[in-house]
Every structure is written in structure tokens, then in C-alpha cells.
Amino acid sequence: MDDIAIIGYAQSPSQRRAELTEPQFLFPVISEAIERANVERRDIGFTCAGSCDYLSGQTFAFVMNLEAVGAWPPISESHVEMDGAWALYEAWVRLQHGDIDVALAFGSGKSSPGDPSEIYPLQLDPYTLTPLGADPVSMAALQARAMLDKGTITEQEMAEIAVRSRTNAANNPYAQVRGSGDVDTLLREPYVTAPLRRHDLPPISDGASAVVLATADKARAVCERPVWIRGIDHRIEPHQPGMRDLTESISTRQAGRHAGIDHGPVEVAELSATFSHQEKLLREALGLGDEVQVNPSGGALAANPVMAVGLARIAEAARAISERGVSRALAHATSGQCLQQNLVCVLEGA
Amino acid sequence: MSRPAAIVGIGQTKHKKRRDDVSLPGLVREAAQRALDDAELGWTDIDAVVLGKAPDPFEGVMMPELSMADALGAVGKPIMRVHTAGSVGGSTALVATHLVQTGIHDRVLTVAYEKQAEGNAQWGLAGGRSGGMGAGGIFAPWMRSYMARAGAPEHIGWMVAVKDRRNAAKNPYAHLQMPNLTIDEVKDSPMLWDPIHWHESCPSSDGACAMVITTEDGAARSPHPPAWVLGTAMRSELGTFPGRDPVRPQAGVECAHLVYEAAGIRDPRQQVDIAELYVPFSWYEPMWLEGHDIAGPGEGWRMVESGETQIDGSFPVNPSGGVLSSNPIGASGMLRFAETALQVRGRAGEHQVPDATVGLAQAYGGAAQYFAMWVVGSTLDAVDQKR
Amino acid sequence: MTPAATEPDDDNSVKMMDYFMQLEYREPLCPVVRRYADQLLEGRLIGHQCPSCGLVYLPPRGYCPICVVETTDADETVLSDRGTVTNYTVVTPVQYYGQHETEPFVRASVTLDGGNATMNLQDLVDVPVDEVRVGMRVAAVWKPKGERSVADISNRSWGSAEGCIDGWRPTGEPDAPAEQFLGKATF
Ligand SMILES: [Zn+2]
């Protein structure tokens, strides 16, 4: 595959309830990403968006988001009903043709108008699981329980992950849940859905993220320090929770292998671990040792703008390289409940 | 990198008002299995799956690629879900094609579907409110504008309806089977959205379509002739702004010129043997003939009137019966793409256009603002043969 | 819930079951739509005029998607509540759950005086369906102040004014020349 680089990225601050509409808060994010990329809007040869009708509560919600792009004169454009990370994947595929040199991917979501515990059961098998009303927290609790029973995590470790996320988020202007708090205090809190406590759960967030990609020649021409996509892959697992070993993430491992994570040491990993225990599980699936800095941004426990959060991980991993001098980082995005589908993207500087 | 891609497997379900004999996964699997059978490939031969459909609220299933991963044989593989409004079936096929052309995968299964009877699309389109008019109410004023602009007489719409329904009678998968529909019956059917009569509007269908797209090597091993992708294009524009021309949307004009250029077509009317255009309401046939510069201004309806777009005419449009005869929304675009491939492979059965070697497929969506197109040929130089 | 069928293909077997669900979404109006709604309650139609290209957006969106620039209160403009029917269709209602319309009704595009702002899918009142024509002059029929509602306005339903305007009534003025509009689908 041809090397493609990230040359610009931007995010909106994650908010519990955004005052603006989705296209309105996307608008400055896309503009900022393009500006940082040092390209003109008309240079963009392909645009791909990620968003979700059910989150917005409106059919064809993505159509309005097109207004934030500036689709006049007409543009070459596509949309996935998936996290923006998959929009980036489609843009990366499109750039492989070599006939265009710049592409834009973005993701956006406004979770505040709806109730996640009512909406997400619709993501499950409509015949056997949706009628049970299994919500993401209950599903994640099953997964955490399985890990606890297997002895691959403790509630103490889960709280430690949450504390580290919040501490890291203190320096992230886009994060929503910041601050310190100590493990013992958190562990004295009651369960929300046993064995999960409030700190094990992600916040409900509204937000957007955008990334600008370029082919190698273009990237070198416009960007001082391009961040190279060395590999990107995504895989899915069976849907029925009973068909899976919830204490492992086989599809993450597969995606990581295909993305080539073992071609060199990883310094930073930005993981879409929306529940604390999933960070441990993903670390193991990706073979990340203690030397790897995980979620220096605070991760999804600090800000969870659904449909933008995975792409935000890619933006954060790129930031670690271009702004903090990290040489190799990986980003992870997920879809479905209990990490059913996973994407891994390996990034490198120079 | 860009390498040739070929369609070696095509499958579709019987399209019906209500496919209550199958579940959602059962519906997509029916189409996918037929595509695999056509290609003489098994589920394990597939590297990746690209799924497309219109809004999730139409069936009440959010991100259905998750619950259908097993039925689509996608476990352990990449699967993506595309959604670009009505053009989605076309865009989905294009994403799958790009995965092969760029060398990322060798055999990609692409599937699109809608199971409208599982939910209520009219309700979905109206956002659950009264006074909803469906897509027809949005498009009807634009058709009136076209008629005024092109000086088109009202019987053109009736002729398109009769042609497509008679074509559909030759297509066993088509939803509406009306071999004897007459102009008078169309004219006398209830007016839904002036100028659109009942018989000039698409039905609401359950159905799915699937294709297997592969490389030159894959095509060489195919048991049946492949269809080669000679050009692809996508274009989108804003749906509403003062001064927009939705009758001849700029995105549609540009998309057509891009796909002609990619395929090396200078004169589509001469160099394309068969076109499958997304015509959910009769008037969109002449509108797209002009909107894609196949016909000049005011010439589109004359092509219809003179019979050029009939199955035995010089520029057959929608020999499958088109969206007017089967409309599983999410799959409707892919059906256009698949039908052109069937034609250039010579495998369209009773609705085969003799000696078709170059086909043009188009799908559109939103407020006539999303366009996806491809040109397929029986050989990689099929267009050159027509110079 | 396995059907008690004796044969798998028994016609009495359960093939479909209804599963009803209800999702509630609550989204406060964003500031520009809030302002639009407040002005509607006062009997005024407001738009934003793009400072760059001059196009008028009704209702305001807070940006011009053509120029990709933000618009603010400073770009606000009050629009006329009189205009011309520039396009229309007659709709025979499809009966779906929640549909209350039973008789054919008109949905018209009304281009407001003094600019290019057009309100689409508008109701016409006090005019038989078969007398509607392009070029017809109309004026907004505002509901009495106390009966106006903006409850149906949402961030996504740009253009809706139905809770405050009953529809558009012919003014009786001579028609504007239809040729000016026929064949053009302004939006
Ligand atoms: Zn402007």
C-alpha cells in the first residue's frame, strides 16, 4: 500500500449537552483541520463522513452535516454509518488510487438528545436480543464480570485505569471528565450495574473530530512533520455474546496483526476503551507492555463523542507524534457492544 | 495503484411487498448466496464485505452490520456499512470496487438491502409526523419544472411507466408484474403528487442485491463471463440553497462527465448500449437523460417518445424494470449497478439486450444531491471497440 | 415465542410479530433557531444574509454552506411575509401511522418579496386546489398571537413555520408573470 499521511486534525471540546446543532459544531472543526493541514478546501479530492441516524433521532441526519463541509461546487463524497475512524479508512482506500492527493474524514455525534440505554439495544440482534433491552452498560458489565471471574482484572485495576484517564485528561482541552480522585475513594462508590461503578463508565458526550489525509508527495510538500499511516485494518467478531469469549478481543488482535503493529515498538496507544476493563483487554489483545503510554489524552473514559471518538483516537495518536515527538503510535476504534468490531491504525513520524 | 476489477457474481432476491418468509439476515443471505453461486465461490473465499442500506430507522435496527456479521460470513474479516441516502446501493458497490482496484483485497462481497415491511418507511420519512408526503412530494415540483422547461407533454411520464412495467414482466425478480399495463391505466390511476400518478411511482419493496467483485486473476477463474468496471464516480452537493437547480443538479452533471471520462466515453448515446438509471418516478427518466448529458436540453423526453429507451430501442433504459418496478430502497441503487453487469455478461435472461457490451448505471439520493455511477463492459476495451 | 405450528410451512404459523418501540429525543433549540422561533412568535420571518455572497437563508442556520463562513445576529434580516407561488404540487395523502390528512392538499414554494428566500412545502388556504397556479400572489396567514406555537420547530426542521402561520392566502393582486418562474425550481 502507498504511504498516506495525516497532515491535519481537529476536535471539538466534548460536552455533556452541546448548545449548537451537529453541523454547527462540526463547522469549525472541519475548518480547523483543513487550516492546520495547510491546504485549501478545493484541494480536497474526497470527503468521507461518519455519523448515526439513531443517535440524532432523524433519518438522513448526515445530509445536514454536508453543510459543514462546503459541498458547493459539488464534491466527491461518501458516508459511513460508522465511527469516523471507518470514514478515515474509506478515505485512505480512496487515496490509494493515486488520482487525488488530499482527503478529509470526519465523525460527529450528538448523544445528548436521546437515552443511550434505550437506543443501543437496537444495535443488537432484533429478534433475540433487542426485545431483552440489553443496554451497553449491562453488556459491558457481563464482560467485566467474565474478566473478574477469570482473574484477568480486579476492581482495583479498573479504578486505577479510571484515575489515570482522568489525570491524563487534565491537560486535554477537549476532555469532559477530568481531575484526580484516588482509587480508594472511587472503590467506595456504589455499583451502577455490578461490577461497574460510575468511574468505569464513559460520559455521555456531544462532539466531532476531523482528520485531513494526503498522499506522500503532497504531505511532504505542505507539511513539516507528516504522520504516516503505516497500517490500518479492521475486523469483526460474531454478534451473539454467547458465541464469543468476552474476556478476549480476537478481532482487535487480528486487526492489529494486519495493521502491522509488531513491526516495531509502540510508544503511545490511544484506545477506544469505553469501559475501564476494556483497556486491559485491548492492551492484551495488542500486546502492549507497561512501557506503552496508553490514552495520554484521557481516552474514551474522559470524552466519548460517539461516532467521533474513534477518529479522535487517531487524531490524538497523530498529535503525540507531531506535537510531542513520539515516533510510533497506534490508535484503536470500536463498534458494537463489548468490542464486537475493532479498527487498528499504526502511525509513525518521519 | 489502480488495477482492473471485475464482477463475477451477481445475486438478488425476489422483490416483494413483504418478504415475511425470511428474517433480515435471511434476506441478505439469499442474495449473497446467489452471488457466490454465480461466481462458484464459497463464503471463505471472500476477503471483505461492504454492506449498504438506507436509514436504519426503516427497519428499526441500528448498525445492522453488527447483527448480520455472521449471516454475511464476515466474522474475522473487515466489514463496512455505507449510507449515502438513495444512492447508497451504488456507493456501496463503488466502495467494494475500490477495495479491489487499490489492491487491498482480491475478492469482496458487496450487499445492499431494504426490508421495508419490517418497519414503516413513510412514517420514517415523515419523522413520525402528519402531513408527510414521502419523497414524491419533494420531487413532484421539480418534475413540473422539468416539464415546463423542456416543454414536455404529460404522456411522457405515462410512457415511461408502461415501458418499465413491461420490462419488469421479463424479469422474474421484479416486484411489480404488469405485462399488460396500458397508457390509459396509468393516466387513469389516482394522482399522488401532481404530476405523478399511482402507476408512475415506485412500489415499496423488500429485497436485497449482492455482487462479488474481484481481480483479473479472479475473473480468469470465473465460470461465467465477467463484467469489467471501466469507470466509477461519486458526486454530492448541498441539498438546499437559494438558486440551486434541483432539476439538473450540478453534481449529476459532473458525476456523469467524470464517469464518461474514466471509461473513455466521448458520446454516451452512441457508446453506451444499455443504461440502468435510478427512476423512482416516471419523469426521472427524461430528467436524467438530460441531467447526465446523454440527451441535449429538451431532448430527453423525445428519446422516450420515439421509443429509443425501449428494450429494443437504440438506447434501452432500465430493461430490468427499474426502480419503478422494484424498490427495496437501500438495494435499489445496487440493482442498477448489478443489472448493467448482468447485461454486459449476457446473463440477463429474458430482459437481455442483444449484444450489450457497455453499460451505464446510476443511483441518486437525498434531495437529488448524491450521485454514484459506474460504467461496465464485457471486455476492458469494450468502449474502444465502439469508436 | 415459538408458534404452535404443526408443520413448518403451515399457513397458520407466525411469520411476523410486532415489536413496538418508542424513543424520545429532547434537544434544546440552538441559539439561531431559538431566535428564529422567538421572532416567529412575534409575527416576523427572519433570515441570515451571508456577508460574503449575499444569499439569504431562511431560517438562519448560523453559517452559509456555500461560502463556508459563519453568520451571526449581525447578518440578520427581516423578510417579507408576502410573496409569489413559484412552484407547487398537489398531494394525495398516503395513509401511514400518524397521518391525519385525508383529502388532496397543495404544497407550494413561496418566494418572498424582496429577495431570493423561498419557503418550500407551504400550505395554501382559502383557494381551491385546482385554482392554484405559478405566479399567484400570496400573503402569510398568521395565527392569532396567543395561538402561535413553536413546539414543532427543531434544530433539524429548517423552514418550518406551521405553528405560527396557518398557510398562505391569495392576496387578489394580479399574478406575477409565470414565465419568470416556470421551469426554474428555486430552492
Ligand atoms: Zn455565502
Side-chain angles (χ1 to χ4, degrees):
Chain A
M1 291 300 107
D2 290 341
D3 274 338
I4 303 296
I6 292 174
I7 59 169
Y9 45 78
Q11 295 172 60
S12 71
S14 235
Q15 290 175 281
R16 174 60 186 89
R17 190 176 291 281
E19 191 185 36
L20 299 178
T21 66
E22 200 168 308
Q24 282 169 345
F25 65 66
L26 249 174
F27 199 93
V29 173
I30 291 173
S31 293
E32 186 188 337
I34 294 170
E35 202 169 304
R36 280 165 163 260
N38 197 23
V39 295
E40 299 292 325
R41 216 170 272 263
R42 63 174 175 276
D43 294 335
I44 297 168
F46 182 70
T47 299
C48 195
S51 70
C52 175
D53 278 356
Y54 260 116
L55 214 56
S56 311
Q58 170 129 3
T59 48
F60 304 110
F62 67 93
V63 174
M64 202 57 85
N65 293 343
L66 193 57
E67 299 200 333
V69 181
W72 186 259
I75 59 171
S76 175
E77 186 258 359
S78 184
H79 171 258
V80 290
E81 192 86 354
M82 307 180 83
D83 185 286
W86 275 268
L88 179 137
Y89 179 80
E90 189 178 328
W92 174 82
V93 172
R94 183 64 190 80
L95 282 169
Q96 295 293 334
H97 278 96
D99 60 329
I100 57 165
D101 51 15
V102 181
L104 166 71
F106 63 92
S108 58
K110 205 170 170 181
S111 291
S112 59
D115 178 351
S117 68
E118 287 180 352
I119 294 172
Y120 289 101
L122 299 178
Q123 222 184 31
L124 295 167
D125 179 81
Y127 307 102
T128 59
L129 295 173
T130 301
L132 302 177
D135 67 306
V137 177
S138 307
M139 297 290 285
L142 284 175
Q143 185 175 41
R145 172 63 66 205
M147 289 175 72
L148 289 166
D149 288 352
K150 196 177 173 186
T152 53
I153 202 164
T154 62
E155 291 183 34
Q156 166 96 13
E157 281 178 280
M158 286 158 64
E160 284 166 5
I161 287 168
V163 167
R164 183 173 38 72
S165 283
R166 293 172 179 199
T167 309
N168 289 353
N171 297 318
N172 179 355
Y174 309 112
Q176 192 177 332
V177 182
R178 299 197 190 91
S180 44
D182 68 292
V183 170
D184 292 339
T185 312
L186 291 183
L187 285 174
R188 280 196 293 273
E189 293 292 318
Y191 290 122
V192 174
T193 302
L196 303 178
R197 297 179 172 86
R198 182 69 201 86
H199 63 258
D200 296 310
L201 276 46
I204 294 173
S205 312
D206 296 346
S209 55
V211 171
V212 179
L213 303 177
T215 54
D217 289 348
K218 182 73 177 181
R220 288 193 192 95
V222 299
C223 188
E224 219 168 276
R225 201 173 156 76
V227 175
W228 301 99
I229 298 178
R230 295 298 188 207
I232 182 166
D233 193 85
H234 58 100
R235 303 280 151 166
I236 198 166
E237 300 182 30
H239 179 70
Q240 292 284 347
M243 299 274 288
R244 298 166 54 193
D245 179 349
L246 294 179
T247 65
E248 283 190 67
S249 185
I250 293 166
S251 54
T252 300
R253 184 172 300 146
Q254 289 169 328
R257 192 173 65 237
H258 284 98
I261 54 169
D262 49 6
H263 296 171
V266 172
E267 290 163 53
V268 164
E270 282 284 345
L271 309 176
S272 291
T274 33
F275 295 89
S276 60
H277 63 275
Q278 291 177 346
E279 183 184 302
K280 178 98 187 276
L281 203 154
L282 289 167
R283 264 182 185 268
E284 273 162 24
L286 293 165
L288 305 178
D290 289 340
E291 74 287 358
V292 179
Q293 200 189 0
V294 171
N295 289 338
S297 66
L301 286 175
N304 187 33
V306 179
M307 310 315 284
V309 66
L311 185 62
R313 301 281 67 70
I314 296 177
E316 287 291 352
R319 179 196 311 283
I321 291 171
S322 74
E323 295 175 31
R324 303 209 326 264
V326 166
S327 56
R328 197 160 187 270
L330 76 79
H332 159 268
T334 193
S335 179
Q337 303 202 13
C338 297
L339 304 169
Q340 192 195 340
Q341 187 178 20
N342 298 283
L343 177 147
V344 175
C345 179
V346 177
L347 302 172
E348 287 178 10
Chain B
M1 164 176 188
S2 198
R3 60 179 183 174
I7 301 99
V8 295
I10 297 173
Q12 60 183 292
T13 61
K14 168 68 186 168
H15 311 292
K16 272 175 73 175
K17 177 86 192 153
R18 207 178 169 85
R19 282 295 306 270
D20 54 9
D21 58 321
V22 284
S23 62
L24 282 164
L27 185 79
V28 293
R29 210 173 152 91
E30 185 176 308
Q33 185 65 57
R34 285 176 182 162
L36 289 170
D37 290 349
D38 184 18
E40 290 186 13
L41 292 173
W43 291 95
T44 53
D45 294 320
I46 296 299
D47 300 328
V49 181
V50 184
L51 181 70
K53 72 172 298 296
D56 292 356
F58 282 5
E59 288 89 0
V61 183
M62 180 182 182
M63 301 179 172
E65 70 279 6
L66 298 166
S67 52
M68 288 191 185
D70 306 66
L72 288 168
V75 168
K77 299 173 188 173
I79 179 169
M80 292 179 72
R81 156 71 194 293
V82 180
H83 177 15
T84 59
S87 69
V88 64
S91 330
T92 304
L94 295 186
V95 172
T97 303
H98 293 165
L99 285 169
V100 172
Q101 286 177 329
T102 54
I104 294 167
H105 296 300
D106 290 339
R107 283 169 304 272
V108 177
L109 172 68
T110 183
V111 186
Y113 75 96
E114 208 70 57
K115 206 161 185 292
Q116 294 205 56
E118 206 97 345
N120 188 327
Q122 289 297 336
W123 176 87
L125 285 168
R129 291 172 169 195
S130 178
M133 302 167 301
I138 308 285
F139 293 127
W142 303 346
M143 297 176 219
R144 295 174 62 89
S145 293
Y146 169 75
M147 293 167 75
R149 186 184 296 189
E154 57 181 349
H155 65 263
I156 298 301
W158 311 337
M159 289 181 72
V160 172
V162 168
K163 169 186 69 87
D164 281 5
R165 268 45 176 279
R166 290 192 177 177
N167 288 349
K170 301 178 198 297
N171 176 1
Y173 298 107
H175 175 174
L176 299 182
Q177 296 288 331
M178 305 177 162
N180 304 313
L181 185 69
T182 64
I183 296 275
D184 282 344
E185 283 173 310
V186 177
K187 182 175 69 171
D188 294 338
S189 66
M191 184 73 91
L192 294 181
W193 310 276
D194 191 4
I196 294 295
H197 293 81
W198 169 261
H199 281 312
E200 291 177 88
S201 173
C202 55
S204 166
S205 318
D206 284 359
C209 179
M211 288 189 278
V212 177
I213 300 177
T214 187
T215 59
E216 259 182 303
D217 282 352
R221 286 196 295 270
S222 165
H224 303 295
W228 296 94
V229 181
L230 305 181
T232 63
M234 288 162 101
R235 268 290 184 274
S236 312
E237 73 180 40
L238 297 171
T240 60
F241 61 85
R244 174 174 185 240
D245 182 2
V247 178
R248 181 183 153 85
Q250 187 63 24
V253 177
E254 289 182 15
C255 192
H257 284 278
L258 280 168
V259 85
Y260 301 153
E261 194 188 319
I265 290 173
R266 287 160 303 131
D267 181 352
R269 197 157 161 186
Q270 297 304 322
Q271 291 174 294
V272 170
D273 294 316
I274 167 259
E276 284 276 344
L277 308 178
Y278 201 100
V279 178
F281 307 104
S282 60
W283 280 98
Y284 268 100
E285 178 170 309
M287 284 167 77
W288 292 140
L289 288 171
E290 293 179 34
H292 301 324
D293 285 345
I294 295 162
E299 290 297 321
W301 65 265
R302 290 190 171 86
M303 284 178 72
V304 175
E305 191 173 48
S306 68
E308 271 186 75
T309 61
Q310 304 260 6
I311 195 165
D312 55 358
S314 61
F315 193 91
V317 176
N318 294 333
S320 67
V323 183
L324 274 181
S325 305
S326 311
N327 185 30
I329 306 174
S332 295
M334 189 173 288
L335 285 165
R336 309 282 68 71
F337 281 54
E339 286 289 346
T340 52
L342 271 183
Q343 290 281 349
V344 301
R345 296 173 76 205
R347 290 173 64 75
E350 248 195 281
H351 64 283
Q352 176 72 44
V353 171
D355 306 320
T357 59
V358 176
L360 165 70
Q362 172 259 31
Y364 86 94
Q369 65 189 117
Y370 293 98
F371 293 85
M373 298 190 187
W374 80 9
V375 170
V376 287
S378 55
T379 56
L380 281 168
D381 62 352
V383 171
D384 296 332
Q385 301 291 330
K386 293 184 180 296
R387 287 220 162 125
Chain C
M1 297 272 262
T2 311
T6 47
E7 299 280 331
D9 291 324
D10 185 344
D11 275 349
N12 294 323
S13 64
V14 175
K15 288 175 176 163
M16 299 277 256
M17 285 170 50
D18 284 335
Y19 174 70
F20 293 107
M21 59 193 168
Q22 183 175 355
L23 296 174
E24 221 175 89
Y25 293 87
R26 290 173 185 278
E27 187 182 17
L29 295 182
C30 69
V32 290
V33 173
R34 178 78 259 165
R35 165 94 186 146
Y36 167 74
D38 288 344
Q39 293 294 302
L40 266 186
L41 290 171
E42 295 300 316
R44 274 190 295 274
L45 288 167
I46 60 160
H48 276 187
Q49 181 162 31
C50 171
S52 168
C53 69
L55 289 177
V56 174
Y57 294 90
L58 165 73
R61 303 178 194 178
Y63 51 74
C64 169
I66 308 257
C67 304
V68 206
V69 296
E70 298 192 32
T71 57
T72 66
D73 286 351
D75 304 305
E76 187 174 303
T77 170
V78 178
L79 298 157
S80 174
D81 61 356
R82 296 169 80 90
T84 305
V85 172
T86 49
N87 209 337
Y88 69 93
T89 183
V90 180
V91 180
T92 309
V94 173
Q95 295 309 312
Y96 58 83
Y97 178 77
Q99 170 73 282
H100 307 308
E101 303 287 345
T102 54
E103 294 304 312
F105 56 93
V106 171
R107 282 289 181 264
S109 299
V110 177
T111 300
L112 304 181
D113 290 352
N116 51 15
T118 299
M119 297 181 76
N120 292 293
L121 307 176
Q122 298 297 297
D123 214 354
L124 297 188
V125 298
D126 296 343
V127 55
V129 162
D130 54 8
E131 283 179 23
V132 175
R133 59 202 179 271
V134 168
M136 183 181 252
R137 298 281 301 149
V138 292
V141 181
W142 291 92
K143 288 181 193 285
K145 235 179 174 176
E147 294 172 23
R148 290 176 198 160
S149 161
V150 290
D152 278 349
I153 291 186
S154 74
N155 285 339
R156 297 265 180 186
S157 69
W158 320 104
S160 168
E162 57 194 276
C164 296
I165 293 177
D166 276 328
W168 299 74
R169 179 185 288 136
T171 61
E173 296 165 84
D175 281 11
E179 314 81 69
Q180 209 178 314
F181 311 109
L182 283 170
K184 286 183 193 149
T186 49
F187 211 162

